[in-house]
């Protein structure tokens, strides 16, 4: 349809190239692709809709998972994707312009040594390979001790998410198009990598009815707390039996907790980049169905 907007705007395509230090022609074709989204469609005025909130991976962007967003929106969800100052590749403004983030800024520079630290690598290796629940719990606790700046990011992103919910409630009260359309009693939280850890952190509150951590080491305070809603962990499994173990969180939860392990997926498989990879459409379809079915089980009333 001619009404469908481009998959990426010129500004977004250029911002991605700048952040990744790609030549601009590398993804210039995305401006010519049609998405499955249509701008300024009237909102159905006779019902409320469940809300799902997404936080991207570190250095990602709000639009990085729009194939899945479109799937959820087409089934009656209001989908909100959050950007974070200094930690997103760019921030998208209401007029379509972008605020570009420098990939060498202080936030990135300070956090890089935590992940490149050999001692951190030992704990991560246990988390990726061990099936011993006690060893895993201890490894997660040590990981948190060794990565205070990553936990700080989870805390900041949690606060950002809470501010976004406050803004959504204002829209629900005042916006002429969206007034009364949000069902805040049926909210889900999900995210990739650090965004997934943020979902786990927020799932230890009573704010959300369901949540998903997509392939994120669970930075934050969840190891010392409990999930307070149904939750799904999704782990990539690129080779052998190496994938994120989550038994410390699943074993301590009183709610339905799932662990989906996807063979052949890498950490970067959970984004729209899969559209441009061999078998990528199949991978995207799997993610769409998995996430939709989980939220349908717990959020659709």
């Amino acid at each position: 349809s001619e009404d469908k907007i481009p998959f990426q705007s010129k500004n977004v395509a250029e911002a991605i190239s700048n952040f990744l230090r790609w030549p601009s022609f590398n993804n210039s074709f995305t401006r010519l692709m049609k998405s499955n989204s249509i701008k300024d469609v009237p909102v159905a005025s006779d019902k409320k809709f469940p809300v799902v909130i997404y936080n991207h991976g570190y250095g990602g962007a709000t639009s990085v998972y729009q194939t899945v967003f479109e799937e959820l929106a087409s089934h009656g969800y209001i989908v909100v994707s959050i950007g974070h100052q200094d930690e997103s590749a760019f921030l998208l403004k209401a007029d379509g312009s972008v605020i570009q983030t420098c990939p060498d800024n202080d936030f990135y520079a300070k956090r890089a040594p935590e992940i490149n630290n050999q001692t951190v690598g030992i704990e991560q290796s246990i988390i990726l390979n061990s099936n011993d629940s006690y060893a895993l719990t201890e490894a997660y606790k040590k990981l948190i001790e060794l990565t205070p700046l990553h936990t700080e990011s989870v805390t900041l992103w949690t606060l950002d998410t809470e501010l976004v919910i406050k803004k959504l409630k204002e829209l629900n009260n005042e916006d002429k198009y969206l007034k009364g359309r949000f069902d805040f009693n049926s909210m889900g939280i999900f995210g990739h990598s650090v965004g997934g850890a943020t979902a786990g952190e927020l799932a230890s509150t009573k704010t959300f009815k369901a949540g998903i951590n997509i392939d994120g080491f669970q930075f934050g305070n969840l190891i010392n707390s409990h999930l307070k809603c149904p939750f799904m962990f999704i782990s990539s499994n690129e080779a052998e039996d190496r994938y994120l173990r989550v038994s410390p969180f699943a074993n301590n939860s009183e709610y339905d907790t799932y662990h989906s392990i996807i063979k052949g997926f890498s950490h970067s498989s959970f984004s729209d980049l899969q559209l441009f990879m061999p078998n990528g459409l199949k991978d995207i379809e799997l993610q769409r169905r998995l996430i939709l079915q989980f939220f349908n089980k717990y959020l659709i009333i």
Side-chain angles (χ1 to χ4, degrees), residues 5-247:
I5 62 174
F7 182 71
Q8 289 178 351
S9 70
K10 180 176 182 289
N11 289 336
V12 166
E14 287 179 351
I16 290 171
S17 295
N18 291 339
F19 186 80
L20 295 175
R21 296 191 171 101
W22 284 353
S24 59
F25 65 79
N26 231 36
N27 62 324
S28 58
F29 64 92
T30 58
R31 293 154 45 190
L32 306 175
M33 296 168 53
K34 292 290 186 182
S35 69
N36 290 304
S37 297
I38 301 172
K39 192 175 181 180
D40 295 331
V41 175
V43 181
S45 59
D46 58 346
K47 63 178 291 188
K48 292 183 177 182
F49 299 94
V51 182
V52 288
I53 298 176
Y54 177 83
N55 285 280
H56 57 67
Y58 208 81
T62 54
S63 57
V64 73
Y65 215 35
Q66 67 189 63
T67 47
V68 175
F69 300 160
E70 288 178 337
E71 182 76 14
L72 290 163
S74 71
H75 285 82
Y77 290 89
I78 295 174
V79 186
V80 181
S81 183
I82 303 176
H84 305 279
Q85 185 175 352
D86 298 317
E87 300 185 87
S88 297
F90 60 89
L91 298 177
L92 188 61
K93 297 172 72 174
D95 64 2
S97 62
V98 300
I99 301 171
Q100 181 76 60
T101 301
C102 173
D104 297 321
N105 74 27
D106 287 346
F107 268 79
Y108 293 113
K110 288 178 181 176
R111 281 154 177 73
E114 288 191 347
I115 292 302
N116 297 326
N117 182 305
Q118 189 173 5
T119 310
V120 170
I122 291 170
E123 304 308 329
Q124 288 180 315
S125 185
I126 293 169
I127 291 167
L128 289 167
N129 293 286
S130 177
N131 289 315
D132 183 297
S133 287
Y134 176 78
L136 286 168
T137 299
E138 292 303 301
Y140 271 111
K141 287 181 177 179
K142 288 178 184 175
L143 178 68
I144 302 312
E145 289 175 12
L146 293 165
T147 56
L149 293 176
H150 278 73
T151 289
E152 180 185 61
S153 286
V154 169
T155 301
L156 290 170
W157 292 21
T158 296
L159 292 171
D160 285 348
T161 304
E162 290 169 348
L163 284 172
V164 165
I165 293 171
K166 184 179 178 182
K167 178 64 177 177
L168 295 179
K169 288 182 176 178
E170 291 175 8
L171 291 174
N172 193 54
N173 290 333
E174 301 166 5
D175 189 88
K176 66 177 181 178
Y177 299 110
L178 296 171
K179 187 174 182 178
R181 302 283 68 81
F182 294 81
D183 185 352
F184 293 109
N185 293 316
S186 191
M187 284 203 301
I189 183 74
F190 69 130
H192 175 227
S193 198
V194 172
T198 303
E201 186 84 356
L202 283 159
S204 68
T205 70
K206 294 270 188 181
T207 306
F208 295 93
K209 283 192 69 178
I212 305 172
N213 177 342
I214 304 170
D215 214 37
F217 282 102
Q218 190 57 60
F219 300 108
N221 195 49
L222 184 60
I223 193 64
N224 301 310
S225 185
H226 300 284
L227 292 165
K228 292 186 173 64
C229 65
F231 202 82
M232 177 165 64
F233 294 91
I234 304 175
S235 297
S236 62
N237 180 203
E238 197 167 7
E240 299 177 342
D241 288 327
R242 186 177 170 84
Y243 57 85
L244 279 169
R245 265 61 172 183
V246 300
S247 60

Side-chain angles (χ1 to χ4, degrees), residues 50-52 68 71-72 77 186-191 199 203 208-214 227-234 253 255-260 286-301:
V51 182
V52 288
V68 175
E71 182 76 14
L72 290 163
Y77 290 89
S186 191
M187 284 203 301
I189 183 74
F190 69 130
F208 295 93
K209 283 192 69 178
I212 305 172
N213 177 342
I214 304 170
L227 292 165
K228 292 186 173 64
C229 65
F231 202 82
M232 177 165 64
F233 294 91
I234 304 175
S253 178
Y255 297 86
D256 295 345
T257 308
Y258 303 83
H259 190 194
S260 296
L286 187 156
Q287 295 174 64
R288 283 173 166 168
R289 290 173 59 190
L290 179 62
I291 291 169
L292 175 67
Q293 288 177 11
F294 175 80
F295 281 136
N296 277 354
K297 181 175 175 67
Y298 294 102
L299 299 186
I300 296 292
I301 300 171

